[in-house]
């Protein structure tokens, strides 16, 4: 029989403890994920209706073209964020 080790398990720290602030941050992110996906999903649905008047007006004016491109970029971003909404 061998002698027990003089080092106790209490003196050894866990290999990768998660800091409390990291745990709170993860909990916060999970709590806002659902509402953020909901909002992004419906924004992605509604934004194309805003594009229609701009397209009907024509994209000849640089300000209208810039507005269209910004709205199109926002639509793509909203599609990306909201793509997982209501998938259980």
């Amino acid at each position: 029989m061998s002698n027990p080790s003089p080092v106790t398990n209490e003196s050894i720290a866990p290999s990768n403890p998660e800091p409390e602030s990291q745990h709170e941050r993860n909990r916060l992110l999970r709590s806002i994920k659902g509402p953020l996906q909901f909002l992004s999903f419906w924004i992605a649905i509604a934004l194309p209706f805003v594009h229609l008047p701009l397209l009907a007006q024509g994209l000849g004016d640089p300000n209208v073209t810039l507005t269209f491109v910004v709205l199109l970029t926002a639509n793509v971003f909203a599609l990306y964020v909201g793509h997982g909404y209501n998938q259980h």
Side-chain angles (χ1 to χ4, degrees):
M1 298 212 177
S2 64
N3 292 333
S5 172
V7 178
T8 63
N9 286 340
E10 295 169 2
S11 66
I12 301 173
S15 62
N16 190 10
E18 187 174 287
E20 189 64 31
S21 64
Q22 180 70 23
H23 177 69
E24 289 176 14
R25 187 178 311 134
N26 288 341
R27 192 175 74 206
L28 176 66
L29 288 174
R30 281 182 298 215
S31 70
I32 65 171
K33 181 181 178 184
L36 182 64
Q37 280 186 331
F38 169 81
L39 185 62
S40 295
F41 174 81
W42 285 108
I43 287 174
I45 297 289
L47 272 179
F49 293 104
V50 178
H51 294 136
L52 291 175
L54 293 173
L55 289 173
Q57 179 181 348
L59 299 178
D61 182 16
N63 290 331
V64 175
T65 304
L66 179 63
T67 302
F68 179 78
V69 170
V70 168
L71 287 173
L72 187 63
T73 303
N75 197 356
V76 169
F77 181 73
L79 282 170
Y80 176 75
V81 173
H83 79 279
Y85 172 66
N86 212 13
Q87 292 181 356
H88 298 284

